[in-house]
Amino acid sequence: MALLRRLQTVRALYGTASIPESLYMFGSSRSYSSVASNVPRINYWRSSSCSYRGHNGLPWACGSKMTLRTTMSAELLIFLNDKKSVTTQAKASPQARKMGAQVSMTSPGFVYEPYAPREPISFWQRYFTKSGWRRTKEDIILELKSAYAIAKLRKTGYSKKKFYIEAIELFKEINLLIAIGDKTSLRKAVTEKMYSGLKNEIKQRESMWTSVFWEMVEPVVKIRTLRARLIGVDRNDHDKVFIQLTLEFLTKQKFEAYGSNGTVVAGDKNKEVLVRDIWVFEKSLFHSNSYWRLCGRISA
């Protein structure tokens, strides 16, 4: 009887494998606003250790394609069918509704699924325990969502090399604007919610220091993409999506702060400090002339 039940389970899994790929991957372009994520706030001027643990590689080549497809189909269907449109949270003000005005969303206003490093697990635990199997499926789902988001972005002409160049320039520009306190120019480079947080950050810093010096030493030591996510804004039009790319910057930076009489009160501009930053950039894929903006920073 146990053997019969096992055969029935395998048969059901193979039946799931026949589900068209477009059925479950299509859902990835819907919004995932049902998960309310709060991005950790970090202090802007800080040095952090650059030593961090690597992540276990996913066992892409350790099993057959059919095994991956059968185990993933049911999992993805369950995941994708449970998502709601972000429009359920983006509501117009009473005055706008009274006037019949159409609200144009320029940003979802949150970071979806903020990146967090996965705790490494041993080979034995990953392949020979139920918790390891569940963890492997979770890791694969996370990677598939990033792969789908990047694939959709490439259809708009995305190039990783060009984007990295643009991201590094944005990284330098935004840091310099924060250093000199140029809130007017900063507003154009970040989302509305991010601007509100940075404005308060600058105000708090100016209450402590009269001015600051900041410089990034080029070239960048390391830059890589940690995560990619799509956020839909219209359940009836799956092309209306925002994309968020989480990048890791490993750079050498110089910093020095000055008091009211011009004396140095913190830092040393002659000393290079290795700093790890994790920034989230956002762009609309359905607005013409849209461009990348900073929408969040994650504690490294």
Side-chain angles (χ1 to χ4, degrees):
M1 291 299 295
L3 178 61
L4 179 60
R5 286 196 298 270
R6 184 168 297 181
L7 287 174
Q8 290 174 344
T9 302
V10 172
R11 188 175 182 181
L13 284 174
Y14 271 80
T16 309
S18 63
I19 298 174
E21 185 174 354
S22 60
L23 180 61
Y24 58 81
M25 294 303 287
F26 182 71
S28 297
S29 66
R30 298 186 180 182
S31 84
Y32 309 111
S33 63
S34 59
V35 182
S37 302
N38 295 321
V39 183
R41 293 291 303 278
I42 62 175
N43 293 327
Y44 172 70
W45 301 112
R46 54 91 178 98
S47 61
S48 61
S49 171
C50 65
S51 61
Y52 50 95
R53 291 176 294 177
H55 311 299
N56 283 6
L58 293 176
W60 292 106
C62 296
S64 67
K65 289 185 178 180
M66 181 57 69
T67 303
L68 173 63
R69 188 177 178 88
T70 54
T71 55
M72 287 304 301
S73 296
E75 190 79 13
L76 284 171
L77 280 172
I78 294 172
F79 168 77
L80 296 172
N81 290 334
D82 193 38
K83 303 306 170 186
K84 299 178 182 179
S85 173
V86 75
T87 52
T88 59
Q89 295 187 11
K91 297 181 180 179
S93 63
Q95 183 179 1
R97 290 197 297 268
K98 184 177 180 180
M99 297 175 61
Q102 291 184 349
V103 179
S104 177
M105 180 179 290
T106 58
S107 171
F110 63 94
V111 175
Y112 171 62
E113 286 190 352
Y115 170 81
R118 304 282 283 175
E119 191 70 24
I121 60 176
S122 66
F123 176 86
W124 176 266
Q125 183 181 358
R126 181 180 289 276
Y127 291 105
F128 298 101
T129 65
K130 289 185 178 180
S131 61
W133 299 340
R134 286 194 298 267
R135 166 64 184 274
T136 299
K137 287 197 293 183
E138 291 171 1
D139 289 345
I140 293 174
I141 289 175
L142 290 175
E143 292 299 323
L144 283 176
K145 287 196 285 186
S146 287
Y148 179 72
I150 293 295
K152 193 171 184 67
L153 181 60
R154 284 202 181 103
K155 294 180 180 179
T156 66
Y158 166 82
S159 164
K160 184 171 75 171
K161 182 178 180 180
K162 292 180 179 178
F163 171 68
Y164 279 1
I165 294 174
E166 183 179 355
I168 292 171
E169 290 301 315
L170 274 173
F171 182 81
K172 291 191 297 182
E173 177 188 357
I174 292 172
N175 276 311
L176 285 172
L177 291 174
I178 295 174
I180 64 178
D182 186 351
K183 293 188 284 289
T184 302
S185 300
L186 188 62
R187 183 188 290 270
K188 302 175 184 178
V190 302
T191 61
E192 291 73 15
K193 187 171 183 179
M194 191 69 201
Y195 174 74
S196 178
L198 291 177
K199 186 170 63 173
N200 293 333
E201 199 172 291
I202 293 173
K203 183 178 179 180
Q204 183 180 5
R205 189 202 68 210
E206 290 176 342
S207 66
M208 299 167 49
W209 303 324
T210 302
S211 60
V212 296
F213 168 87
W214 181 88
E215 180 183 348
M216 187 189 82
V217 181
E218 298 192 59
V220 171
V221 177
K222 182 180 181 180
I223 179 174
R224 63 169 178 154
T225 302
L226 299 177
R227 178 162 293 182
R229 290 294 181 266
L230 293 174
I231 303 175
V233 296
D234 188 345
R235 64 171 67 250
N236 298 318
D237 188 347
H238 298 97
D239 289 326
K240 288 187 176 181
V241 294
F242 287 88
I243 187 164
Q244 293 180 347
L245 294 184
T246 302
L247 299 187
E248 176 193 53
F249 296 90
L250 191 62
T251 61
K252 292 181 180 179
Q253 302 178 15
K254 298 179 180 180
F255 166 74
E256 195 169 83
Y258 308 96
S260 56
N261 56 358
T263 58
V264 178
V265 295
D268 183 355
K269 68 178 182 181
N270 297 316
K271 184 182 296 184
E272 297 179 0
V273 180
L274 193 61
V275 182
R276 179 176 181 246
D277 294 281
I278 299 178
W279 284 21
V280 185
F281 293 95
E282 180 182 282
K283 182 181 180 181
S284 167
L285 298 187
F286 62 98
H287 286 109
S288 59
N289 302 320
S290 62
Y291 54 91
W292 291 102
R293 296 189 296 170
L294 175 67
C295 71
R297 297 177 300 177
I298 299 176
S299 179

